[in-house]
Amino acid sequence: MSYKVAFFTLGCKVNTFETEALWNKLKERNYERVNFSEEADVYVINTCTVTQASDSKSRKLINQTAKRKPLNALLCIMGCYSQSKPETIADLNGVDLIIGNENKNQIADLIPELKKQKKQIINVTDIMQSINFDDTEAIEFSNTRAFVKIQDGCDSFCSYCIVPFVRGPGKSRDPKKTIELIDKVTNAGYPEIVLSGIHTGSYGRDINYSLTELIKDLTKNCPKLLSLRISSLEITEITTELIELLKNAPLCKHLHIPLQSGSSKILKAMNRNYSQEQFLDIVKKLKKAVPDLAISSDVMVGFPGETEADFEETVKVIEEVGFMRLHVFPYSVRENTVAEKLPNQIPEIIKKERAKKLRDLSILTGQRYAQAFIGKTLEFIPESTDGKYFQGYTTNYLRVFVSGSEIKIGEIIAITITKITKTVIYGQIFSQ
């Protein structure tokens, strides 16, 4: 029997891939995919738990969906919040299935069983015992860029982070299977591949391989690979070899490098294995080798013990680096983490003030970076249109509004940056 299925994905690029991988399995069983706002037979919510706000969003969406879904429709909850708080989800009305991060692909088999017995199923196992990479494939994506999961899990155990407890130990997709998958995805017409993972830069450590080896092998073996982006890298994982690779296509001139704090004292308390000086030194090398490189980052404010002086150190680093974009978030207490028990927790009002200051600063540094490209030509992938402008991203991850008529969604084109306002970057199709 054919069912209509609707998905909603919260959180990271890995979650996006895993949703699409599940959809690929259900499509093989003749399911029809509909918008999440429409009536469906099965609703799947892929959750996130990285912060308290993520937990709240997950619960809110579950409750809203349970209230509006048709009487006999199934509500299936997967992802990191499911792994972290299955009992909490089980107590919410209308939830039929709660499944952990190791068992997501069982949803396809469990739906018929749920339809028959109409009894809640909880399938969450001990993720810390998970050592095998789930090599389920996704070939089709709802985005114009394909987020391909090459790595899962994390062994770093930053003192504030719950992710290792809900994703388990680090593990990598087999290189041969990774190359075959990306070749399939590029042959399906996706111009840009985003190498994604929970700790992407650790790819290959468990299988005597490396991220740089993968990039070289992809370049050799995937002839239709036009644009390759790395979702995130730790500063300590940026080697001389990787910097050399950045100079050449198809690797995008953009890196997302989490800073978290500009204070060496706070970085040590966070169990981050670098100092302010090391971070700035490697950024300096990157910019010397690739002058037009865009660097985006994650920054946390209000970590326990963060003084005003520590915060000003973060401001100093942000201004010195000139980040193209920042994801700023207040410290959030996570169960079972070291930071949960640290003294000198920062009041919420101070966290909000510091977050606002950094978000305002992010706008300024982003504008300064973008201003340098006025009149320059960049590669651009249009993702959507409102009828007047095509919106999408350049290879250095500038979001641009491009005017023009003969533009195809999802195809790489050359554009010229024409104007920049406080919130919008404009461009036009390049003409010689």
Side-chain angles (χ1 to χ4, degrees), residues 291-317:
D292 60 348
L293 181 72
I295 303 176
S296 56
S297 192
D298 299 324
V299 184
M300 179 185 292
V301 296
F303 185 84
E306 182 188 64
T307 64
E308 194 62 32
D310 294 323
F311 175 69
E312 288 304 322
E313 288 288 296
T314 300
V315 171
K316 182 185 99 173
V317 173

Tab-separated table of all heavy atoms in Angstrom, residues 291-317:
chain	number	residue	atom	x	y	z
A	291	PRO	N	43.975	34.602	-0.504
A	291	PRO	CA	43.574	35.928	-0.024
A	291	PRO	C	42.073	36.199	-0.033
A	291	PRO	O	41.581	36.964	0.794
A	291	PRO	CB	44.304	36.881	-0.987
A	291	PRO	CG	45.460	36.079	-1.507
A	291	PRO	CD	44.966	34.675	-1.588
A	292	ASP	N	41.335	35.593	-0.948
A	292	ASP	CA	39.892	35.856	-1.029
A	292	ASP	C	39.058	34.817	-0.273
A	292	ASP	O	37.842	34.751	-0.433
A	292	ASP	CB	39.437	35.923	-2.489
A	292	ASP	CG	39.711	34.629	-3.252
A	292	ASP	OD1	40.449	33.772	-2.722
A	292	ASP	OD2	39.204	34.487	-4.383
A	293	LEU	N	39.693	34.019	0.570
A	293	LEU	CA	39.005	32.962	1.304
A	293	LEU	C	37.949	33.535	2.262
A	293	LEU	O	38.206	34.489	2.990
A	293	LEU	CB	40.011	32.147	2.117
A	293	LEU	CG	39.447	30.980	2.934
A	293	LEU	CD1	39.018	29.843	2.023
A	293	LEU	CD2	40.485	30.478	3.948
A	294	ALA	N	36.756	32.951	2.240
A	294	ALA	CA	35.712	33.303	3.201
A	294	ALA	C	35.819	32.353	4.390
A	294	ALA	O	35.946	31.136	4.217
A	294	ALA	CB	34.334	33.187	2.557
A	295	ILE	N	35.746	32.915	5.599
A	295	ILE	CA	35.782	32.096	6.805
A	295	ILE	C	34.543	32.416	7.633
A	295	ILE	O	34.322	33.564	8.021
A	295	ILE	CB	37.048	32.354	7.648
A	295	ILE	CG1	38.304	32.096	6.807
A	295	ILE	CG2	37.049	31.463	8.889
A	295	ILE	CD1	39.598	32.427	7.534
A	296	SER	N	33.734	31.407	7.873
A	296	SER	CA	32.594	31.539	8.776
A	296	SER	C	32.910	30.765	10.048
A	296	SER	O	33.866	29.988	10.098
A	296	SER	CB	31.306	31.039	8.125
A	296	SER	OG	31.451	29.698	7.680
A	297	SER	N	32.105	30.982	11.102
A	297	SER	CA	32.484	30.380	12.377
A	297	SER	C	31.299	30.256	13.324
A	297	SER	O	30.250	30.877	13.121
A	297	SER	CB	33.576	31.230	13.040
A	297	SER	OG	34.169	30.549	14.130
A	298	ASP	N	31.494	29.434	14.366
A	298	ASP	CA	30.578	29.341	15.498
A	298	ASP	C	31.247	30.009	16.697
A	298	ASP	O	32.437	29.777	16.956
A	298	ASP	CB	30.293	27.883	15.863
A	298	ASP	CG	29.638	27.110	14.732
A	298	ASP	OD1	28.821	27.695	14.017
A	298	ASP	OD2	29.961	25.915	14.573
A	299	VAL	N	30.489	30.806	17.421
A	299	VAL	CA	31.014	31.465	18.618
A	299	VAL	C	30.006	31.328	19.748
A	299	VAL	O	28.813	31.580	19.570
A	299	VAL	CB	31.302	32.964	18.374
A	299	VAL	CG1	31.932	33.583	19.605
A	299	VAL	CG2	32.226	33.148	17.183
A	300	MET	N	30.496	30.911	20.909
A	300	MET	CA	29.648	30.758	22.089
A	300	MET	C	29.901	31.923	23.046
A	300	MET	O	31.050	32.331	23.241
A	300	MET	CB	29.966	29.437	22.790
A	300	MET	CG	29.147	29.183	24.043
A	300	MET	SD	29.675	27.669	24.880
A	300	MET	CE	29.165	26.435	23.687
A	301	VAL	N	28.832	32.439	23.623
A	301	VAL	CA	28.980	33.460	24.659
A	301	VAL	C	28.413	32.927	25.975
A	301	VAL	O	27.523	32.078	25.982
A	301	VAL	CB	28.255	34.775	24.287
A	301	VAL	CG1	28.870	35.403	23.053
A	301	VAL	CG2	26.760	34.556	24.104
A	302	GLY	N	28.966	33.437	27.076
A	302	GLY	CA	28.421	33.085	28.382
A	302	GLY	C	28.822	31.728	28.902
A	302	GLY	O	28.134	31.155	29.762
A	303	PHE	N	29.940	31.170	28.418
A	303	PHE	CA	30.435	29.925	28.995
A	303	PHE	C	30.771	30.192	30.466
A	303	PHE	O	31.219	31.282	30.825
A	303	PHE	CB	31.680	29.450	28.240
A	303	PHE	CG	32.198	28.120	28.695
A	303	PHE	CD1	31.662	26.949	28.206
A	303	PHE	CD2	33.232	28.041	29.638
A	303	PHE	CE1	32.133	25.716	28.627
A	303	PHE	CE2	33.708	26.816	30.067
A	303	PHE	CZ	33.160	25.645	29.565
A	304	PRO	N	30.545	29.212	31.360
A	304	PRO	CA	30.809	29.434	32.780
A	304	PRO	C	32.195	30.029	33.033
A	304	PRO	O	33.201	29.510	32.532
A	304	PRO	CB	30.693	28.033	33.378
A	304	PRO	CG	29.725	27.331	32.489
A	304	PRO	CD	29.994	27.857	31.112
A	305	GLY	N	32.219	31.120	33.793
A	305	GLY	CA	33.486	31.771	34.117
A	305	GLY	C	33.943	32.801	33.110
A	305	GLY	O	34.997	33.420	33.292
A	306	GLU	N	33.187	33.022	32.020
A	306	GLU	CA	33.585	34.008	31.010
A	306	GLU	C	33.422	35.427	31.577
A	306	GLU	O	32.314	35.897	31.810
A	306	GLU	CB	32.734	33.866	29.741
A	306	GLU	CG	33.151	34.836	28.643
A	306	GLU	CD	32.177	34.823	27.464
A	306	GLU	OE1	31.002	35.207	27.674
A	306	GLU	OE2	32.591	34.439	26.356
A	307	THR	N	34.528	36.092	31.791
A	307	THR	CA	34.498	37.458	32.295
A	307	THR	C	34.322	38.435	31.143
A	307	THR	O	34.368	38.047	29.963
A	307	THR	CB	35.804	37.792	33.029
A	307	THR	OG1	36.883	37.743	32.068
A	307	THR	CG2	36.072	36.816	34.158
A	308	GLU	N	34.140	39.702	31.488
A	308	GLU	CA	34.041	40.730	30.455
A	308	GLU	C	35.336	40.795	29.645
A	308	GLU	O	35.313	40.991	28.424
A	308	GLU	CB	33.742	42.099	31.090
A	308	GLU	CG	33.295	43.162	30.098
A	308	GLU	CD	31.999	42.819	29.385
A	308	GLU	OE1	31.128	42.153	29.982
A	308	GLU	OE2	31.857	43.199	28.199
A	309	ALA	N	36.470	40.604	30.336
A	309	ALA	CA	37.764	40.613	29.637
A	309	ALA	C	37.867	39.439	28.660
A	309	ALA	O	38.392	39.588	27.546
A	309	ALA	CB	38.896	40.553	30.662
A	310	ASP	N	37.369	38.267	29.074
A	310	ASP	CA	37.364	37.104	28.172
A	310	ASP	C	36.510	37.385	26.939
A	310	ASP	O	36.890	37.057	25.806
A	310	ASP	CB	36.814	35.866	28.890
A	310	ASP	CG	37.704	35.389	30.020
A	310	ASP	OD1	38.932	35.458	29.876
A	310	ASP	OD2	37.153	34.967	31.061
A	311	PHE	N	35.351	37.990	27.174
A	311	PHE	CA	34.460	38.320	26.064
A	311	PHE	C	35.122	39.297	25.108
A	311	PHE	O	35.013	39.155	23.882
A	311	PHE	CB	33.149	38.897	26.600
A	311	PHE	CG	32.210	39.372	25.524
A	311	PHE	CD1	31.595	38.463	24.675
A	311	PHE	CD2	31.959	40.719	25.345
A	311	PHE	CE1	30.729	38.891	23.676
A	311	PHE	CE2	31.113	41.162	24.341
A	311	PHE	CZ	30.493	40.244	23.513
A	312	GLU	N	35.817	40.290	25.642
A	312	GLU	CA	36.495	41.267	24.782
A	312	GLU	C	37.609	40.619	23.966
A	312	GLU	O	37.919	41.071	22.857
A	312	GLU	CB	37.043	42.422	25.621
A	312	GLU	CG	35.962	43.351	26.169
A	312	GLU	CD	35.073	43.942	25.072
A	312	GLU	OE1	35.604	44.264	23.980
A	312	GLU	OE2	33.849	44.061	25.295
A	313	GLU	N	38.211	39.561	24.496
A	313	GLU	CA	39.190	38.800	23.711
A	313	GLU	C	38.526	38.175	22.487
A	313	GLU	O	39.097	38.154	21.394
A	313	GLU	CB	39.819	37.697	24.578
A	313	GLU	CG	40.780	38.189	25.634
A	313	GLU	CD	42.086	38.681	25.035
A	313	GLU	OE1	42.816	37.869	24.438
A	313	GLU	OE2	42.367	39.893	25.143
A	314	THR	N	37.312	37.664	22.675
A	314	THR	CA	36.557	37.108	21.545
A	314	THR	C	36.247	38.186	20.516
A	314	THR	O	36.406	37.967	19.302
A	314	THR	CB	35.247	36.464	22.047
A	314	THR	OG1	35.564	35.413	22.957
A	314	THR	CG2	34.429	35.898	20.897
A	315	VAL	N	35.830	39.365	20.983
A	315	VAL	CA	35.558	40.484	20.080
A	315	VAL	C	36.809	40.824	19.276
A	315	VAL	O	36.761	41.028	18.050
A	315	VAL	CB	35.072	41.717	20.873
A	315	VAL	CG1	34.992	42.951	19.962
A	315	VAL	CG2	33.714	41.445	21.510
A	316	LYS	N	37.955	40.856	19.950
A	316	LYS	CA	39.223	41.182	19.297
A	316	LYS	C	39.555	40.193	18.176
A	316	LYS	O	39.943	40.581	17.067
A	316	LYS	CB	40.350	41.165	20.336
A	316	LYS	CG	41.720	41.544	19.787
A	316	LYS	CD	42.802	41.390	20.849
A	316	LYS	CE	43.529	40.074	20.666
A	316	LYS	NZ	44.708	39.916	21.566
A	317	VAL	N	39.370	38.900	18.464
A	317	VAL	CA	39.677	37.874	17.455
A	317	VAL	C	38.729	37.992	16.254
A	317	VAL	O	39.157	37.894	15.097
A	317	VAL	CB	39.600	36.465	18.071
A	317	VAL	CG1	39.742	35.391	16.992
A	317	VAL	CG2	40.686	36.293	19.122
